[in-house]
Amino acid sequence: KVNMISRKDIDSIVPNHIVPSMSISLVNRFSAGDSVIDVGTGGGLPGLPMAILFPDTQFTLLDSNRKKMTIVQEIASSADLNLPNGCFSSSKLSWLFISFDSISK
């Protein structure tokens, strides 16, 4: 069992988590071909909503918690989402040797 978000936030997941994640698009428009890393993605926020909003941008969701990353990857590859622009890693940032156009935390 892995807690992706606080149990007290379950009833307000959209206004407390999804909407703030998507609000990044109000100040930053990602271009086709850009690569963005979400460091410490936890439950996939803001990375998953951003990958939905910007399907032509590559998103790497990074968290050191392997269990959480397994669940996030299952969510992203579900039939409902099928996000081909997501990459998932359960490593530490210092272990990555690639560059990104934007960083989200």
Side-chain angles (χ1 to χ4, degrees), residues 63-84:
D63 200 287
S64 60
N65 186 315
R66 187 179 308 272
K67 289 180 182 180
K68 285 186 179 182
M69 288 310 304
T70 298
I71 294 169
V72 169
Q73 190 168 6
E74 289 174 6
I75 292 169
S77 62
S78 72
D80 292 338
L81 290 182
N82 190 24
L83 294 175

Side-chain angles (χ1 to χ4, degrees), residues 30-91:
F30 301 110
S31 300
D34 280 355
S35 59
V36 178
I37 185 168
D38 178 5
V39 178
T41 191
L45 301 170
L48 289 177
M50 297 307 293
I52 293 168
L53 285 176
F54 297 98
D56 295 326
T57 299
Q58 180 66 39
F59 288 87
T60 298
L61 282 65
L62 176 73
D63 200 287
S64 60
N65 186 315
R66 187 179 308 272
K67 289 180 182 180
K68 285 186 179 182
M69 288 310 304
T70 298
I71 294 169
V72 169
Q73 190 168 6
E74 289 174 6
I75 292 169
S77 62
S78 72
D80 292 338
L81 290 182
N82 190 24
L83 294 175
N85 60 329
C87 177
F88 309 92
S89 178
S90 59
S91 63

